[in-house]
Amino acid sequence: IIPPRFFKASDFYDGLAAACLQTRCGYVLKNGATAVNFAFDDAKPFSAGLAPVRAGDGWGYINPRGEWVISPRYFEAHPFTEGATLVGQRKNFSFDQKFGGYTGLKTFYGFIAPDGREILTPRILGATPFASGLSKVQLPAGGLCSDCYYYRFLQRDGALLPGKFDTATPFERGQAIVTAY
């Protein structure tokens, strides 16, 4: 349907596909016509009427007209799922009693709503997008092992479900596979 001319392309979501020509990315329609100019450094699929795009070192969100809705201020950004999206920010130092502590340059994750409002401030060492109302989060195990982690499940209100797991998959169709901690 569309001749191969893109360096990179996504599936169609909300009628648009992210596509990259050499070093610039934009969005195309199903007939291959440009819908959003190739003005971005990277682009991911639309969802909930917004798409994560990278401009320079920052990720933000645009609408189908290519207008910024959420300015490019994140180190990492993902498409929206269940009314929220996972975003990451690089921080030089952070310590949080609930989600563990860490010193050094690291990406911390949180969630925002489609209007840009923070649902959960980026302070989690690892997380997955919401599925079945839950996100799989990675937390430091502590003790003598600096690279040891365990997994828990986080609700949208920031509450953690009971249980700690050695391994866990994100929820899919209402279920997750875990091994006990």
Side-chain angles (χ1 to χ4, degrees), residues 108-120:
F108 289 84
Y109 297 91
F111 295 89
I112 61 171
D115 63 4
R117 175 181 42 85
E118 282 189 350
I119 294 171
L120 184 62

Side-chain angles (χ1 to χ4, degrees), residues 18-84:
C20 300
L21 291 169
Q22 297 173 354
T23 61
R24 305 306 285 165
C25 301
Y27 293 85
V28 297
L29 299 168
K30 290 185 178 182
N31 66 4
T34 300
V36 176
N37 288 332
F38 289 79
F40 305 101
D41 295 310
D42 203 352
K44 294 181 181 180
F46 269 90
S47 64
L50 298 174
V53 294
R54 184 170 57 84
D57 291 334
W59 284 87
Y61 292 83
I62 60 167
N63 63 24
R65 294 180 302 284
E67 303 164 333
W68 289 105
V69 175
I70 301 170
S71 64
R73 59 182 176 259
Y74 298 102
F75 181 75
E76 191 176 318
H78 297 269
F80 282 85
T81 59
E82 300 186 8

Side-chain angles (χ1 to χ4, degrees), residues 129-147:
F130 282 109
S132 300
L134 298 168
S135 169
K136 177 186 88 170
V137 295
Q138 173 185 316
L139 303 172
L144 299 175
C145 180
S146 63
D147 284 337

Side-chain angles (χ1 to χ4, degrees), residues 59-172:
W59 284 87
Y61 292 83
I62 60 167
N63 63 24
R65 294 180 302 284
E67 303 164 333
W68 289 105
V69 175
I70 301 170
S71 64
R73 59 182 176 259
Y74 298 102
F75 181 75
E76 191 176 318
H78 297 269
F80 282 85
T81 59
E82 300 186 8
T85 188
L86 179 66
V87 293
Q89 289 185 324
R90 291 291 265 186
K91 296 182 182 181
N92 284 322
F93 173 81
S94 181
F95 184 81
D96 186 285
Q97 289 288 7
K98 182 176 181 181
F99 294 107
Y102 186 85
T103 324
L105 186 62
K106 190 81 173 161
T107 303
F108 289 84
Y109 297 91
F111 295 89
I112 61 171
D115 63 4
R117 175 181 42 85
E118 282 189 350
I119 294 171
L120 184 62
T121 303
R123 63 180 191 222
I124 306 167
L125 287 175
T128 60
F130 282 109
S132 300
L134 298 168
S135 169
K136 177 186 88 170
V137 295
Q138 173 185 316
L139 303 172
L144 299 175
C145 180
S146 63
D147 284 337
C148 296
Y149 302 97
Y150 63 90
Y151 299 93
R152 295 191 65 186
F153 291 100
L154 177 76
Q155 300 176 115
R156 282 185 56 128
D157 65 2
L160 291 166
L161 292 184
K164 294 179 180 179
F165 306 102
D166 285 325
T167 63
T169 64
F171 268 79
E172 187 174 328

